[in-house]
Amino acid sequence: MFSQTVKCTVLVLLVAFAAAGPAYCKTFERLQPEITPNYQPDISGTEAGLWMVFNKAEESLKTSPNRLKDPELDHYLKTVICKLSEKFCPEIRVYVMRMPYFNANMAPNGVMQVWTGLLLRVNNEAQLATVLGHEMGHYLRRHSLKSFEDLKHKSVLYTFLSLGIEGALAAGGINPDLGYAAMDMNRVLTYASLFAFSRNQEREADKYGIQLLNNTQLSLEQAPVIWGNLIAEEKSAQHEKKHRSIFFATHPAPKERLANLKEYVQELSEEDGSSGHDNLNAGKYWKYVGPHLPMLLEDEINLNQFGRTLYVLRNLLDNNIEPGIVRYYMGELYRRRNKKGDIQLAIQNYLQAIDNNNCPAEAHRSLGLLYYKNGDRASARKEFQKYLDHKPDASDHEMIQFYISSLSGDSK
Amino acid sequence: MDSFTRTGGTVRISGSGNILYAARLSGLLIIILLATGCATTKSFSSISNLRPTDKELKIVLMPLDVQLSILTAGGTLEPQAQWTRDAKRNMVDALDEIGKERSNDFIVYKEPEQLDASARKILEIERLHRAVGQAILFHKYVVPLPTKKNAFDWTLGPEVSVLRKKTHADYALFIHVQDSYSSAGRIFMQVLAAGLGMGIRGGRQAGFTSLVDLTTGNIVWFNYINNPAGDLRTPEPAMKTVKLLLKGLPE
């Protein structure tokens, strides 16, 4: 407290000397939750109606084929949520969905979805907590309800506008009722998803997220890092317009966001001297996410978005995450793109993969294929054999065996 | 038409919607089917008698897939939890009474607190029914499929046997209803539009019921209702709606 006052005074003095104009010391103004723990909305209100719809949706989520069912990972995510807010964590239900894009979302009834594409792009627990805290911010400030109320008012205007369209339809002999095909429950749902949260709500959630992160021992400095990485990933995919990130399609002004986050972190650090906020917990994070890494990378690579995927893979290598696995997928990335020089790059990556632990047996198969392509029959045969040695029950065993036998004879 | 509902499901947002993506089609189909006028039902049946033998017959009532909403001035549907709760209670009471009149045969499926493997399967079957029901609505009532001209051969597949094992029932009855009520603002808009010589729809009841053979999974009877009146919030009109939903159910 004392140090903060001193700092402020110094700053005020400096600014006062330096220039005319108002001088102030910005402090972090804390947001308050709009709900109490175990909150249940009044059954006669709008909010209860929204909860009803989302409670039903949660039932579908539970048995969704897209759900990644890993109780240990679920439990880990929950412990991170509890670090962020002990008070509210019991009522938040988290579901990991196998969706290879950077996203998480929060329903008004406390259901949180975390997508696998997000897990792949987060380097440690501190970054994960940043995103989870952001989502909890939406929940604690009841953003869904506010969006819905806002929408109701907007749609009145829409109806006035559509009266004109309807007149035209009727004049053209088309039953205006068909024009209402769009109006029903699906509209509520569509609106709920498409309008989602406003820019201001995103800002507020960012701020709340940092505030919650400050409750933990995790590094606040990691909060801007994740958004910085996303901006960089976006840049690396500039030539792949069709692969525009969903995240950026819906969350405006990433640079502004990054600046805001840095400011919040600065304010909070000044407040308590940033003591005790230096944990990254990367090891812990990868202990639970790591077992899924091959699947996450497989899904990522199948999106066929070279620049973006290359960025993600490099980021993993920079953080020294499973080079045996990551190098293999980098090899796959080059092999599948197959531009000039890519074969050589692919081979280099496979060889590096093999030098590391946990390299998938498929690295030998891919190497075999590329050697075969290059006309190096002896090496190809050797790699195919290694593949089968490492994976005797491979589903393509017969085919690879056929390759080996056709390579065994004298060169034709 | 507005541009929002036409945007496909590819846009995923840090909001709350994508988990509900699958539900989108249902309302659309029901609305296409709506025509003005009084309550109508239309049913299809591939059997006339549920009891070919003398043995006791059991029909399991699946959890009611019902939602009541306010139709706001702007045409947004605002789901109502209390109304929905009351409606379900009224419908269950009505079904109970009708079951007694039918001398038998209705039993109620209750989802267990802890979902075991078969309860999960049953949840999936409920969702499958919703999807198949929508397909029937669309292809039997709106755009007929050339291959299904005279046939009524929709099925949920033999996996429904899990429901038979769990409940010992011969058939399952699924009921899906969307029921909306105009708000004061909506009524104002309707009057205003009428003054301009146009029609804006008010709240209405639309739904479908199907009877599924739990040995084969075949939908042996299907009924669609469209009712611009009706009120599920109070017992007596709720009974009327339930009777419409079950109109033509084979004995």
Side-chain angles (χ1 to χ4, degrees):
Chain A
M1 196 62 205
F2 173 73
S3 68
Q4 188 195 346
T5 320
V6 172
K7 259 185 212 162
C8 289
T9 317
V10 172
L11 189 65
V12 169
L13 284 175
L14 278 175
V15 175
F17 275 116
Y24 59 95
C25 179
K26 262 188 111 177
T27 52
F28 190 91
E29 281 171 40
R30 281 177 165 65
L31 293 161
Q32 294 303 319
E34 292 189 359
I35 52 174
T36 50
N38 293 317
Y39 173 77
Q40 287 291 327
D42 168 25
I43 189 162
S44 62
T46 303
E47 196 172 20
L50 288 181
W51 279 48
M52 174 180 74
V53 170
F54 283 97
N55 285 341
K56 197 165 172 185
E58 186 181 3
E59 291 301 311
S60 306
L61 211 52
K62 277 181 191 163
T63 52
S64 166
N66 275 349
R67 185 176 170 201
L68 181 65
K69 291 187 190 84
D70 176 356
E72 285 184 20
L73 178 59
D74 287 346
H75 182 256
Y76 169 64
L77 294 176
K78 186 84 187 198
T79 58
V80 177
I81 289 169
C82 291
K83 280 183 194 174
L84 290 163
S85 171
E86 211 178 317
K87 231 165 59 179
F88 288 98
C89 86
E91 65 218 67
I92 293 178
R93 288 91 74 195
V94 62
Y95 296 89
V96 180
M97 303 306 288
R98 187 173 171 186
M99 303 283 266
Y101 303 98
F102 182 97
N103 211 352
N105 63 48
M106 188 85 215
N109 60 344
V111 167
M112 188 193 279
Q113 283 186 57
V114 174
W115 290 10
T116 47
L118 182 147
L119 295 176
L120 185 63
R121 284 162 175 79
V122 161
N123 297 327
N124 52 50
E125 188 175 301
Q127 289 180 12
L128 173 73
T130 304
V131 183
L132 300 186
H134 171 97
E135 297 303 331
M136 286 169 74
H138 285 309
Y139 172 66
L140 296 174
R141 301 287 289 183
R142 295 204 282 188
H143 285 167
S144 295
L145 175 66
K146 289 175 191 165
S147 295
F148 185 77
E149 295 284 8
D150 188 38
L151 167 71
K152 264 199 318 198
H153 298 133
K154 277 182 192 153
S155 64
V156 176
L157 176 68
Y158 157 81
T159 302
F160 271 114
L161 295 174
S162 68
L163 282 176
I165 298 168
E166 207 167 285
L169 283 171
I174 297 165
N175 181 357
D177 248 14
L178 285 177
Y180 285 102
M183 293 195 184
D184 202 69
M185 170 177 164
N186 65 79
R187 153 175 276 194
V188 177
L189 308 179
T190 317
Y191 275 168
S193 72
L194 288 181
F195 273 76
F197 300 124
S198 72
R199 236 174 212 241
N200 279 335
Q201 288 177 336
E202 292 298 342
R203 280 192 199 108
E204 195 173 86
D206 273 349
K207 187 170 184 180
Y208 214 137
I210 298 291
Q211 183 180 318
L212 294 174
L213 191 61
N214 197 44
N215 294 339
T216 71
Q217 301 295 305
L218 295 164
S219 162
L220 296 178
E221 304 289 333
Q222 288 294 307
V225 172
I226 179 135
W227 309 122
N229 278 344
L230 280 177
I231 293 172
E233 180 184 325
E234 195 63 22
K235 272 188 190 157
S236 70
Q238 264 171 356
H239 307 298
E240 302 165 1
K241 279 210 177 119
K242 65 170 178 147
H243 299 307
R244 212 174 129 72
S245 151
I246 286 161
F247 184 80
F248 282 97
T250 61
H251 289 64
K255 279 186 183 150
E256 180 215 300
R257 246 188 143 166
L258 191 61
N260 284 345
L261 280 168
K262 283 182 176 160
E263 197 182 302
Y264 300 146
V265 171
Q266 178 76 21
E267 286 165 14
L268 281 169
S269 309
E270 279 173 9
E271 211 173 76
D272 63 12
S274 86
S275 58
H277 290 292
D278 44 16
N279 289 354
L280 298 180
N281 289 4
K284 215 171 178 183
Y285 177 79
W286 287 105
K287 183 183 160 201
Y288 294 100
V289 176
H292 301 289
L293 190 61
M295 187 196 81
L296 302 191
L297 287 171
E298 194 72 46
D299 288 351
E300 170 66 32
I301 214 157
N302 284 339
L303 293 176
N304 189 22
Q305 43 182 23
F306 184 87
R308 197 180 288 286
T309 303
L310 188 65
Y311 181 85
V312 170
L313 293 173
R314 282 190 178 142
N315 182 263
L316 289 166
L317 288 177
D318 289 347
N319 285 280
N320 202 27
I321 308 299
E322 294 282 8
I325 298 171
V326 176
R327 283 284 176 197
Y328 162 70
Y329 282 100
M330 206 178 249
E332 288 292 280
L333 188 67
Y334 283 115
R335 183 176 71 83
R336 293 191 196 181
R337 187 175 71 160
N338 198 20
K339 279 195 177 170
K340 201 169 172 243
D342 279 353
I343 288 191
Q344 213 41 50
L345 286 167
I347 289 176
Q348 280 169 21
N349 276 293
Y350 293 134
L351 291 174
Q352 279 174 284
I354 289 164
D355 276 346
N356 282 286
N357 294 332
N358 299 335
C359 170
E362 284 76 10
H364 293 291
R365 182 182 62 188
S366 292
L367 263 179
L369 288 169
L370 293 187
Y371 286 143
Y372 194 11
K373 231 177 187 172
N374 281 350
D376 185 350
R377 297 169 64 92
S379 302
R381 208 187 120 220
K382 221 162 68 190
E383 292 300 334
F384 283 140
Q385 192 55 57
K386 276 187 197 161
Y387 169 61
L388 292 186
D389 292 346
H390 282 98
K391 204 172 179 179
D393 56 348
S395 59
D396 55 355
H397 188 283
E398 305 262 312
M399 192 175 74
I400 300 299
Q401 194 60 58
F402 171 75
Y403 280 151
I404 292 173
S405 52
S406 68
L407 286 164
S408 301
D410 297 327
S411 50
K412 289 164 196 159
Chain B
M1 291 227 309
D2 63 288
S3 59
F4 310 118
T5 40
R6 277 190 293 163
T7 311
T10 48
V11 179
R12 313 254 175 199
I13 295 179
S14 166
S16 36
N18 60 65
I19 40 178
L20 295 152
Y21 168 62
R24 235 179 250 171
L25 201 60
S26 107
L28 188 120
L29 289 176
I30 288 177
I31 299 306
I32 288 175
L33 293 165
L34 290 177
T36 49
C38 40
T40 52
T41 65
K42 194 174 181 189
S43 64
F44 288 91
S45 184
S46 59
I47 50 168
S48 54
N49 187 1
L50 298 183
R51 305 162 210 259
T53 60
D54 287 339
K55 89 177 180 60
E56 202 187 341
L57 176 83
K58 267 187 182 165
I59 298 176
V60 59
L61 293 175
M62 298 308 291
L64 297 168
D65 188 5
V66 173
Q67 183 173 302
L68 275 71
S69 313
I70 292 176
L71 185 62
T72 66
T76 307
L77 282 181
E78 187 180 318
Q80 295 295 308
Q82 191 168 21
W83 291 359
T84 303
R85 187 193 63 187
D86 294 348
K88 282 185 181 173
R89 198 186 47 217
N90 292 334
M91 290 175 77
V92 166
D93 288 349
L95 284 162
D96 191 43
E97 210 169 299
I98 293 171
K100 277 178 196 149
E101 283 167 19
R102 282 175 60 93
S103 73
N104 51 69
D105 52 358
F106 288 166
I107 49 171
V108 176
Y109 173 73
K110 277 216 162 61
E111 193 179 283
E113 286 282 314
Q114 288 294 324
L115 290 185
D116 55 11
S118 59
R120 276 173 198 279
K121 190 94 229 163
I122 291 168
L123 261 181
E124 282 175 28
I125 290 169
E126 287 175 46
R127 285 209 299 282
L128 178 64
H129 166 261
R130 204 182 305 160
V132 174
Q134 284 155 14
I136 295 174
L137 277 181
F138 196 66
H139 293 301
K140 207 69 202 173
Y141 298 80
V142 184
V143 184
L145 284 179
T147 51
K148 282 196 190 288
K149 248 180 210 160
N150 300 313
F152 192 83
D153 55 359
W154 275 271
T155 182
L156 301 186
E159 287 201 338
V160 296
S161 62
V162 63
L163 203 51
R164 199 187 58 222
K165 275 178 208 138
K166 194 123 184 163
T167 61
H168 305 291
D170 308 283
Y171 295 93
L173 189 67
F174 292 82
I175 298 179
H176 173 94
V177 180
Q178 293 285 327
D179 190 10
S180 59
Y181 300 83
S182 300
S183 68
R186 185 68 179 179
I187 293 167
F188 171 75
M189 290 297 247
Q190 284 179 282
V191 172
L192 184 74
L196 294 169
M198 287 172 257
I200 285 191
R201 80 170 181 99
R204 60 175 68 224
Q205 258 171 14
F208 55 87
T209 316
S210 38
L211 189 70
V212 176
D213 182 327
L214 291 182
T215 311
T216 58
N218 293 347
I219 295 182
V220 294
W221 174 79
F222 185 85
N223 183 30
Y224 156 72
I225 71 159
N226 170 31
N227 187 6
D231 187 345
L232 288 170
R233 298 169 297 180
T234 37
E236 267 175 43
M239 175 56 110
K240 275 187 190 159
T241 298
V242 170
K243 279 187 174 157
L244 284 177
L245 283 163
L246 297 186
K247 201 174 167 189
L249 178 71
E251 282 296 318

